[in-house]
Amino acid sequence: MCDKKDDLRVGIIGVGSYLPEKVLTNEDLEKMVDTSDEWITTRTGIKERRIADKDTATSDLAKEAAIEAVKNAGLKITDIELIIVATITPDSTLPSTACILQGKLGAKKAVAFDVSAACAGFIYAIATAEAFIKSGLYKNALVIGAEKMSSFTDWKDRNTCVLFGDGAGAAVLAPVKDGGILATHLGSDGSQADLLKVPAGGSRMPASKETVENRLHYIKMSGSELFKQAVKIMANAGNEAASLLHFGCDDIDWVIPHQANIRILNAVAKRMKLDREKIYLNIERYGNMSSASTAVALVEAVKEGKIKKGDVVVLDAFGAGLVWGAIVIRW
Ligand code: ACO
């Protein structure tokens, strides 16, 4: 417990990531469904993605990213007071992946829970952690975006199976003297929930022989409608968060976006009137890892030395729900 301070600024003090070793290329997918490297590359920008092996669950991916982030933050696992895992691919419905992770890490002091906000999950989880730390309830938080999308991907459906990959990215948040989170904008629109979903396996449609036979435990997506929404919503979210600070595009050094489709990101840059070079991209190597996409992109941009101290970084994501979020951070 720490004292509540209204002027407390919360920042990211350490990051980490983990990607499974196995690479699934577009050429590999050509042998699985009626698709081509040319179609996938031109329509999405994806060349390959990582796939976790069958004995690896989301909490295992999260654990590796978490250990690296805590080490980089200069903390011990037992210092962590709050763990939030953003995921739509939990180890199981019950208990939360965050609790499983807490046990695996031995983070005895930490309160742990999951956040379900699809591809915007990492941003929702960071916003939640920031609010907890600002409230004075916890001194620090470990936030992880972790997904084993391959377990919910229909490997017979060419409309979706070429898009997704597995991975995890983590950040440790704590009060900072310089920089930190400057502004947050979150949004949801449940009236469009049907655009992207896993229909079965919940209370609406419990698992049965029929749901399995009809492949209803896999991701179903209205791709082209989502595409239009994603461009509009991600550009608006980024602009909304920046405008809270009266920032224009010249004030932004990096946009770290959710990596769903290169064409979406090109259109977002145009709509935000942002120099395309300021958008960090790794979609070519990993595809769409839902909540892990923004997290891993942030970690890699830091590790590659692209993000420097003092830079203004905008995390910007959109996903199933619909949900969206943008966070402006001075690094
Ligand atoms: N290989 C070859 N052809 C394909 C493939 C494939 N893998 N997939 C679809 N096609 C075909 C379709 O069948 C269709 O053929 P038809 O014209 O004969 O019917 C044609 O390609 C065009 O299909 P569209 O769906 O219109 O293609 P589009 O250009 O929209 O690209 C895509 C599809 C990549 C899915 C795109 O719509 C997209 O990226 N949408 C947004 C995804 C997104 O942002 N999701 C939200 C976040 S994810 C989350 O929250 C977990």
Side-chain angles (χ1 to χ4, degrees), residues 35 39 43 119 158-159 162 196 223-224 261 263-264 288 319-320:
T35 191
W39 192 95
R43 303 311 290 165
C119 305
R158 71 173 184 173
N159 290 297
V162 302
L196 182 53
S224 50
N261 186 316
R263 292 183 295 133
I264 292 176
N288 179 348

Side-chain angles (χ1 to χ4, degrees), residues 222-267:
S222 306
S224 50
E225 184 49 38
L226 274 170
F227 188 101
K228 286 180 232 146
Q229 297 288 345
V231 172
K232 202 170 55 186
I233 290 174
M234 280 182 77
N236 284 352
N239 284 336
E240 283 284 340
S243 71
L244 291 171
L245 303 158
H246 307 289
F247 279 6
C249 42
D250 289 344
D251 299 305
I252 298 169
D253 296 295
W254 284 103
V255 172
I256 309 291
H258 171 53
Q259 317 267 323
N261 186 316
I262 188 98
R263 292 183 295 133
I264 292 176
L265 298 180
N266 288 339

Side-chain angles (χ1 to χ4, degrees), residues 9 28 36-37 43 73 101 129-130 136 166-168 172 196-197 209 214 216 220 239 241-242 249-250 274 282 294:
R9 189 62 69 69
D28 295 328
S36 65
D37 172 49
R43 303 311 290 165
L101 175 66
E130 186 207 14
D166 303 335
V172 176
L196 182 53
K197 59 184 179 183
K209 188 166 166 283
N214 292 321
L216 296 177
K220 310 286 175 200
N239 284 336
C249 42
D250 289 344
L274 195 76
N282 62 8
T294 318

Side-chain angles (χ1 to χ4, degrees), residues 148-189:
K148 190 182 180 194
M149 299 299 285
S150 60
S151 292
F152 293 82
T153 298
D154 186 347
W155 293 105
K156 291 188 172 168
D157 176 13
R158 71 173 184 173
N159 290 297
T160 52
C161 76
V162 302
L163 303 173
F164 300 112
D166 303 335
V172 176
L173 279 78
V176 288
K177 287 201 187 79
D178 303 315
I181 294 171
L182 305 179
T184 300
H185 170 77
L186 303 178
S188 309
D189 177 7

Side-chain angles (χ1 to χ4, degrees), residues 84-102:
I84 307 178
V85 174
T87 190
I88 49 162
T89 55
D91 288 22
S92 56
T93 309
L94 189 74
S96 71
T97 300
C99 267
I100 295 171
L101 175 66
Q102 190 250 26

